[in-house]
Amino acid sequence: MTRSVRYSRQEIFTPIGREGQSRLQSARVAIVGCGALGSQLAETMVRAGVGLVRLIDRDIVEESNLQRQTLFTEADARTLRPKALAAKGRLETVNSEVSIEARVFDLTWDNASALLDGIDLFLDGTDNFDTRYVLNDLSIETSIPWIYGACVGSYGLVLPVLRGARKTPCLRCVLGDAPPPGSSPTCDTAGVIAPIVQ
């Protein structure tokens, strides 16, 4: 049987190679939040051939999302389609080799363990600190790594939280308690431009 060329450019990149590609294809990643950052994260994971991508988002597609949330269409906004379902539909046309699951839920401490069961990596596409602290605390409890990400205006932030053997500080280590609601700029209050998301 002829080996697929889909991932050939990743495989000839020495830090990944065939072994790394095999690891990607057996990996299970959860993306919490399917907005601007979540759209980019999801598309990157699916195009890279990650074995399973689980999309978790409670929100619906709105017209104001279309400027930066690249997985969605005007039809999704007109029908107020849930973001997780719209993203799943689009991503299935990108790479049929990847298993994509959609969960239309608000991730909370009460349901986080169930929604993230069997996952190897949490990726943050959220827009609020309450959910981020749930991810942070679950990561600490389980030693499952997560990547904090945020973008607003024209800047972005990223913090890998690798808790196995306490390799990095966690979000609480860096920020302490969650900032009070309304004390930090958001896309709704400060805007956001599409290039920073990418």
Side-chain angles (χ1 to χ4, degrees), residues 4 6-7 25 49-51 92 94-99:
S4 170
R6 178 186 284 266
Y7 309 113
Q25 289 173 279
V50 168
E92 286 175 336
V94 170
N95 190 344
S96 61
E97 296 177 4
V98 174
S99 295

Side-chain angles (χ1 to χ4, degrees), residues 48-136:
V50 168
L52 179 134
V53 174
R54 184 174 299 157
L55 307 169
I56 304 167
D57 196 301
R58 68 171 189 258
D59 209 356
I60 58 171
V61 180
E62 299 175 9
E63 187 178 13
S64 65
N65 302 149
L66 301 179
Q67 160 260 348
R68 67 198 178 282
Q69 298 181 17
T70 57
L71 292 179
F72 308 128
T73 66
E74 291 177 351
D76 295 326
R78 272 194 307 277
T79 59
L80 302 176
R81 193 159 184 215
K83 287 183 179 180
L85 295 176
K88 179 182 188 299
R90 170 76 169 105
L91 292 167
E92 286 175 336
T93 70
V94 170
N95 190 344
S96 61
E97 296 177 4
V98 174
S99 295
I100 302 168
E101 300 175 352
R103 302 287 200 286
V104 183
F105 284 97
D106 184 12
L107 187 101
T108 65
W109 187 252
D110 292 334
N111 65 16
S113 291
L115 288 174
L116 298 169
D117 184 50
I119 294 297
D120 303 315
L121 173 68
F122 312 147
L123 295 179
D124 175 17
T126 67
D127 60 2
N128 69 84
F129 281 102
D130 289 342
T131 307
R132 288 178 175 130
Y133 276 77
V134 170
L135 287 169
N136 183 77

